[in-house]
Amino acid sequence: MGQGGEPRRAQAYDGELGAAVARAQEGDEAAFAVAYRLVQPGLLGYLRGLVGDDAEDVASDAWLEIARDLGRFRGDGSGFRGWTATIARHRALDHLRRQKVRPRSAALEQDMLDLPGPHSTHDQALESLSTEYALELVRSLPPDQAEAVLLRVVVGLDGPAAARVLGKRPGAVRTAAYRGLKRLAHLLGAESVTDERPRTLGEST
């Protein structure tokens, strides 16, 4: 149900990730390395949106906690991504509290996934979000929107999973993501991030 609108890249690895986590829980260190390799890129992108240049340090702290508590995790590959995002978020918020800084996340998320347009819209969003420039745009958005976008597009969580990480209702997260992605699409179009003429992400080539 509604799978067409969900992040495809991360989900494509969910079977492999779930199998790796199960082996890691039995003490297979190589399997834990596989799980790390599959999860870390999205997790790091999410943390960059929350804490900027301190993302790698916060990610290291999060992975120490993930490794310590791995035996308590119950779920599949998708569930593991949500679980690790929750741990990383708590670590990021602790880090920001210590710095007395508010999260500078933004509003990219659901909006991009729900924009009407050609099937390439989602891939364009993913490609754009992979750049430091796009992460800076995300960080300029309202915090609720930024986190929604980061969790949906960068981490690859579906709507209900993102809502669980944030402790909010799915509808509220959906709305925040939609508004964020809509604004992001406008910013990317307005600031001419393509090599050709400016255009919004919702337009066809």
Side-chain angles (χ1 to χ4, degrees):
M1 303 187 197
Q3 288 294 66
E6 305 299 3
R8 294 185 295 273
R9 292 186 183 180
Q11 289 186 348
Y13 296 113
D14 277 352
E16 181 183 354
L17 177 57
V21 170
R23 292 196 309 274
Q25 288 180 313
E26 295 169 358
D28 185 335
E29 291 184 12
F32 185 82
V34 170
Y36 174 88
R37 175 175 54 79
L38 292 173
V39 172
Q40 173 69 351
L43 208 61
L44 199 55
Y46 175 48
L47 288 170
R48 281 202 186 104
L50 294 179
V51 300
D53 293 340
D54 294 330
E56 298 217 11
D57 289 341
V58 174
S60 295
D61 289 343
W63 278 105
L64 287 173
E65 184 174 340
I66 291 163
R68 185 193 71 202
D69 295 343
L70 185 63
R72 294 187 356 216
F73 171 73
R74 296 289 178 272
D76 57 9
S78 176
F80 186 74
R81 280 191 288 113
W83 183 67
T84 56
T86 299
I87 290 173
R89 182 174 193 265
H90 289 158
R91 289 289 184 172
L93 294 178
D94 286 344
H95 176 81
L96 291 169
R97 277 188 209 103
R98 285 196 299 272
Q99 292 192 322
K100 305 245 189 289
V101 173
R102 289 185 40 147
R104 290 290 303 143
S105 296
L108 294 180
E109 221 225 79
Q110 181 69 44
D111 182 9
M112 188 66 73
L113 300 178
D114 287 352
L115 279 176
H119 62 83
S120 61
T121 297
H122 180 259
D123 289 334
Q124 289 172 344
L126 285 176
E127 291 304 321
S128 299
L129 283 170
S130 68
T131 67
E132 290 298 325
Y133 171 75
L135 282 173
E136 282 303 308
L137 287 183
V138 176
R139 285 165 62 86
S140 76
L141 296 171
D144 62 329
Q145 294 178 5
E147 276 207 83
V149 173
L150 291 165
L151 287 171
R152 292 295 305 276
V153 179
V154 179
V155 179
L157 301 182
D158 62 17
R164 284 193 296 274
V165 171
L166 296 174
K168 296 182 178 179
R169 291 177 297 104
V173 175
R174 221 174 6 252
T175 299
Y178 176 82
R179 289 176 179 163
L181 285 174
K182 189 171 183 180
R183 183 170 178 183
L184 180 64
H186 173 74
L187 289 171
L188 289 172
E191 302 200 20
S192 307
V193 296
T194 60
D195 292 331
E196 305 163 4
R197 64 178 179 82
R199 63 170 179 269
T200 64
L201 291 177
E203 289 179 347
S204 57
T205 53

